[in-house]
Amino acid sequence: MNSRSIRQLHLINPPISSCICILFLLTNYLSSKSNQPFLSSKRSHQLPDLFKSSDLLSRSKFQLLKMARKKIREYDSKRLLKENLKRLAGIDLQICSAQVNASTDFTELTDKESWLSSTKLVVKPDMLFGKRGKSGLVALNLDVAQVADFVKARLGVEVEMGGCKAPITTFIVEPFVPHDQEYYLSIVSERLGSAISFSECGGIDIEENWEKVKTVFLPTEKPITLETCAPLIATLPLEVRAKIGNFIMGVFAVFQDLDFTFLEMNPFTLVNGEPFPLDMRGELDDTAAFKNFKKWGNIEFPLPFGRVLSSTESFIHTLDEKTSASLKFTVLNPKGRIWTMVAGGGASVIYADTVGDLGYASELGNYAEYSGAPNEEEVLQYARIVIDCATADPDGRKRALLIGGGIANFTDVAATFNGIIRALREKESKLKAARMHIYVRRGGPNYQTGLAKMRALGDELGVPLEVYGPEATMTGICKEAIECIMSKA
């Protein structure tokens, strides 16, 4: 990443860009001392001692060099591959697919996608889970009327996959392709490069035949060549070896150009001698959206299978989509007694991780994060939802609400606190009924004014409200909140 990339990212997500800017300056400094790039492929595993000694950076959610992997639907995986494989590798994939959900009118869809009425079809759920064939959720060799019946019988029906239950809401429909040979291909982005795996024994039994999968590792910045692919395709018949080798190189070019982090075809086959993906999965690095939004097009990042937004979460999600700021809210345990309303993505993770590390993850009611300088009205609406959830169904036991975050770079702390203060005033009776104890910790521009307003609010409402500035640690007030709710008084 260079300084131009950081400026571009700042337009999309200022808080993240600030963190990356610090890392960028640090790596430049270390590079100047060692006369070689600190994060080059040869040195990227050598973190300085200050990083190694930090217990925060050892946590799974807080690794500087770990990208954000977001699953996408099979429909989008194939769309992106088809649209970009020809541009990058000159390979014209002859694949067609259509997405079907509750709003689909099959007459309109057939008019738009004429191939649906002229060929036999395959239909299956497109819901981010695997083993669809083994679970009896794939129908083959149907006409379009039979596909419509198949979808109608299963749309909205709850199924259980991998211990998670959820209704099926989205299907993918494709031409039925009779075939004999099934191949397996996957590419996974790792810390120092990419692992490319291939097998001549793809299909639903790939796990039982995993010993037949061959893998090569391609270091970052090293180009892929037929020589790189040679160990993967060495046992293929000579007449298809070059074709599949070129296909692997083309897929890898798409993988890199579009910032995929994971891509799997299981299986793909050959139709008239040309590669043809049958089943496909993909994940994208969503932090690369700022440079890929045109190439990705109208991409969707669905929730994991089994995760259904509650009405409160949906409200915040809608609010988040309408603002340039970031507003995130997830209910973890509606009966939890520790709730958070934290400014900044990094700080929000620290608060949540600390509660868990201290042994009280079961009491954590939510994950919440607001950042990017939301205006007072947005903060008000956000705070109302958090407080309503935190105070719901009082049971006589004490609860704690953690408000604040780290030390802001540019956000006016007093201004964002105005929305929270208004919400706390509105919810005074609920706070008292829930025996809520509030802990505030914040630093940054105008923080003294913001904290003074919070102290005055505590006196006004008669609700226990502890206020701290940057002299207090974030982890320390988490411990105080836990001690409060566990005390008998």
Side-chain angles (χ1 to χ4, degrees):
M1 174 169 282
N2 54 33
S3 58
R4 180 173 179 271
S5 299
I6 292 174
R7 288 195 299 272
Q8 290 176 313
L9 180 58
H10 184 77
L11 298 175
I12 307 276
N13 196 323
I16 290 178
S17 75
S18 300
C19 297
I20 291 177
C21 187
I22 293 170
L23 178 60
F24 178 70
L25 294 173
L26 175 61
T27 56
N28 279 350
Y29 168 77
L30 293 170
S31 297
S32 68
K33 291 295 184 183
S34 61
N35 294 319
Q36 58 181 304
F38 174 67
L39 291 182
S40 68
S41 60
K42 294 181 180 179
R43 292 174 57 88
S44 59
H45 64 289
Q46 299 176 8
L47 287 172
D49 290 339
L50 75 93
F51 285 172
K52 291 178 181 177
S53 63
S54 172
D55 64 329
L56 285 177
L57 294 179
S58 68
R59 296 174 184 165
S60 62
K61 293 181 181 178
F62 209 88
Q63 296 178 7
L64 285 173
L65 300 179
K66 193 169 185 178
M67 67 191 68
R69 300 170 182 261
K70 288 288 187 74
K71 292 183 179 181
I72 59 175
R73 297 196 190 276
E74 181 177 2
Y75 173 82
D76 282 320
S77 294
K78 289 179 174 176
R79 174 181 63 82
L80 293 178
L81 183 65
K82 179 180 175 66
E83 289 175 358
N84 294 279
L85 194 58
K86 187 172 184 178
R87 173 176 64 89
L88 294 168
I91 300 174
D92 190 8
L93 280 183
Q94 299 301 308
I95 59 174
C96 302
S97 59
Q99 193 173 71
V100 175
N101 53 40
S103 64
T104 300
D105 183 305
F106 268 91
T107 301
E108 292 180 2
L109 183 64
T110 304
D111 291 340
K112 180 181 176 182
E113 305 287 353
S114 58
W115 53 269
L116 286 168
S117 57
S118 61
T119 185
K120 290 295 186 179
L121 304 168
V122 175
V123 58
K124 54 193 172 184
D126 195 358
M127 296 288 297
L128 309 186
F129 61 75
K131 303 187 188 307
R132 294 170 293 184
K134 286 188 173 182
S135 302
L137 294 173
V138 178
L140 308 173
N141 203 20
L142 307 182
D143 59 33
V144 69
Q146 291 172 313
V147 166
D149 290 340
F150 181 91
V151 170
K152 183 179 180 180
R154 291 161 181 80
L155 190 65
V157 174
E158 187 177 86
V159 298
E160 181 173 353
M161 302 296 295
C164 297
K165 293 181 179 181
I168 300 175
T169 62
T170 308
F171 295 82
I172 182 172
V173 183
E174 303 169 297
F176 173 62
V177 179
H179 58 279
D180 297 318
Q181 184 68 51
E182 294 185 332
Y183 303 99
Y184 173 85
L185 174 64
S186 73
I187 307 174
V188 182
S189 181
E190 298 182 356
R191 187 171 181 177
L192 299 179
S194 299
I196 307 171
S197 300
F198 174 79
S199 175
E200 301 170 48
C201 301
I204 62 174
D205 295 322
I206 185 65
E207 292 178 0
E208 288 77 4
N209 293 290
W210 197 253
E211 73 281 355
K212 297 178 182 178
V213 176
K214 304 165 191 173
T215 301
V216 296
F217 182 78
L218 187 66
T220 303
E221 298 179 1
K222 182 178 179 181
I224 190 169
T225 63
L226 276 176
E227 184 180 356
T228 308
C229 298
L232 302 175
I233 59 177
T235 59
L236 287 173
L238 191 60
E239 60 269 20
V240 300
R241 192 178 303 169
K243 179 69 69 175
I244 291 180
N246 286 326
F247 179 63
I248 293 173
M249 290 194 297
V251 172
F252 185 77
V254 174
F255 181 90
Q256 284 194 311
D257 187 71
L258 272 68
D259 289 287
F260 275 88
T261 59
F262 173 78
L263 189 153
E264 181 186 69
M265 297 178 200
N266 184 39
F268 77 91
T269 191
L270 297 177
V271 176
N272 298 322
E274 298 296 328
F276 194 103
L278 297 174
D279 272 19
M280 189 170 169
R281 293 196 295 155
E283 297 176 12
L284 295 172
D285 178 359
D286 73 334
T287 63
F290 74 101
K291 68 187 184 75
N292 286 321
F293 62 93
K294 287 185 179 179
K295 288 183 282 188
W296 288 355
N298 187 23
I299 196 71
E300 176 193 7
F301 293 109
L303 291 169
F305 179 74
R307 175 85 172 91
V308 179
L309 292 181
S310 65
S311 59
T312 54
E313 290 168 331
S314 295
F315 179 84
I316 298 297
H317 181 72
T318 303
L319 194 63
D320 180 57
E321 289 183 329
K322 295 177 180 178
T323 176
S324 59
S326 175
L327 301 169
K328 302 293 186 287
F329 179 70
T330 301
V331 176
L332 302 175
N333 176 13
K335 298 184 181 298
R337 292 190 290 153
I338 301 174
W339 293 75
T340 66
M341 185 162 33
V342 181
S348 63
V349 172
I350 292 173
Y351 278 78
D353 274 1
T354 300
V355 173
D357 287 348
L358 292 174
Y360 290 88
S362 62
E363 291 288 0
L364 189 61
N366 71 313
Y367 170 81
E369 176 252 321
Y370 66 94
S371 59
N375 62 44
E376 182 177 329
E377 189 62 30
E378 290 168 342
V379 174
L380 171 63
Q381 294 186 61
Y382 181 77
R384 284 170 174 163
I385 292 295
V386 176
I387 296 169
D388 280 343
C389 291
T391 58
D393 303 319
D395 57 6
R397 297 185 299 166
K398 287 186 288 188
R399 304 182 188 187
L401 175 62
L402 303 173
I403 298 175
I407 301 174
N409 292 320
F410 55 87
T411 300
D412 187 323
V413 173
T416 55
F417 273 1
N418 285 339
I420 296 174
I421 289 170
R422 288 173 61 189
L424 290 170
R425 280 200 179 102
E426 288 181 9
K427 308 294 181 180
E428 176 184 350
S429 60
K430 286 190 172 185
L431 292 169
K432 290 178 177 178
R435 298 189 67 193
M436 186 66 73
H437 287 63
I438 302 171
Y439 295 84
V440 180
R441 189 271 189 188
R442 195 72 163 111
N446 210 15
Y447 82 92
Q448 295 95 335
T449 302
L451 297 183
K453 290 182 177 180
M454 281 291 187
R455 290 190 184 97
L457 179 71
D459 295 337
E460 173 191 330
L461 299 182
V463 173
L465 199 155
E466 302 284 340
V467 180
Y468 301 94
E471 75 283 351
T473 64
M474 291 185 281
T475 54
I477 71 163
C478 292
K479 186 176 180 181
E480 284 193 33
I482 290 170
E483 290 173 349
C484 171
I485 67 164
M486 298 309 295
S487 65
K488 294 181 180 179

